[in-house]
Amino acid sequence: MRVNQLQPKPEQVRALVAEAAQSYEQPDAVIRWHYDKPERLNDFELAAVEHNVVEWALRRAQVEDQATTFSALMEPATASAGATEPTATNLRDAR
C-alpha cells in the first residue's frame, strides 16, 4: 500500500468526516467528536483507502471495446477464451 501511496491522506479523511457531519445540526461539533478519539476515524480512513485503491486500479486499467450480445456476455467465462480470474499474483504483477 505504501509503495503505491494508497494510504489515506489527512485531508481526504477530513473531507469525508466533514461531508458526513453536514447532515447534523452542529457539523463542527460532530467533526470535533470524531477527532477526539482517533479510533472514531477508522471508517473514514478505510473509505479513503478504498477510494485510493479504486483510483489506482482505474489508472492502470486497459479497456478495450468489444462488440458482443447480451447472451454471450452472460455466459460463464471459460479458460479457453483467455479469461482469468484476478488473483493477488496477477494484480501485483500488473503494477
Side-chain angles (χ1 to χ4, degrees):
M1 195 166 76
R2 288 189 183 133
V3 171
N4 294 304
Q5 299 177 354
L6 301 176
Q7 64 273 14
K9 295 169 184 60
E11 60 271 12
Q12 285 181 295
V13 175
R14 181 87 174 168
L16 290 170
V17 172
E19 181 181 340
Q22 293 308 308
S23 63
Y24 292 88
E25 283 185 31
Q26 298 177 339
D28 291 336
V30 173
I31 292 170
R32 280 191 307 276
W33 181 84
H34 278 90
Y35 278 88
D36 282 344
K37 292 191 177 182
E39 62 269 12
R40 293 178 183 157
L41 298 174
N42 287 345
D43 289 341
F44 298 101
E45 290 169 343
L46 290 174
V49 169
E50 181 178 312
H51 173 80
N52 294 345
V53 168
V54 169
E55 290 297 314
W56 175 85
L58 289 175
R59 283 193 306 271
R60 284 154 182 77
Q62 295 179 0
V63 179
E64 182 179 311
D65 289 337
Q66 182 178 355
T68 189
T69 64
F70 178 76
S71 58
L73 181 64
M74 298 309 293
E75 290 176 10
T78 61
S80 62
T84 59
E85 290 295 317
T87 65
T89 302
N90 62 21
L91 288 176
R92 183 185 66 239
D93 293 342
R95 288 189 263 162

